[in-house]
Amino acid sequence: MDAAGAKALAVQACQTIASGFAANNVAAAAPLAAQAAAKDPRWAPLAADLDFIQRNPIDPNTGEGPQKTAEDAAAAAHDCFTLAGVQVSQD
């Protein structure tokens, strides 16, 4: 386990989505979170949330999408803030 390396990757992932969960942000952040989870399992929930959001996005024009996507976005934002110290906009 590489806790420091994992946290660095997770912080980078969180910074990538800090402005929101736009598809391009999530696409860039998801692999970083997956790498963090591979180094330290405490990041597995963040990786799983970003993976689900990437595969099931909210339509930016209509705001429609799976309820789980909204819930996972809230969970990812919470993990980024509490575990990585990065504030994430949920807009």
Side-chain angles (χ1 to χ4, degrees), residues 21 45-46 49 53 69-82 90:
F21 290 91
L46 176 64
D49 290 340
I53 294 165
T69 297
E71 292 166 0
D72 283 3
H78 179 266
D79 284 352
C80 281
F81 184 72
T82 60
Q90 292 187 56

Side-chain angles (χ1 to χ4, degrees), residues 48-75:
D49 290 340
L50 291 177
D51 179 63
F52 185 88
I53 294 165
Q54 185 176 14
R55 291 181 292 109
N56 302 278
I58 299 288
D59 184 312
N61 298 314
T62 65
E64 294 180 7
Q67 178 62 34
K68 182 167 172 25
T69 297
E71 292 166 0
D72 283 3

Side-chain angles (χ1 to χ4, degrees), residues 7 9 11 22 25-26 30 39 45 47-48 50 55 66 76 81 83 86 88:
K7 184 170 183 180
L9 287 164
V11 166
N25 292 352
V26 175
K39 291 179 179 284
L50 291 177
R55 291 181 292 109
F81 184 72
L83 299 176
V86 177
V88 175

Side-chain angles (χ1 to χ4, degrees), residues 8-37:
L9 287 164
V11 166
Q12 191 177 353
C14 290
Q15 289 172 336
T16 302
I17 57 168
S19 64
F21 290 91
N24 60 322
N25 292 352
V26 175
L32 295 168
Q35 290 174 41

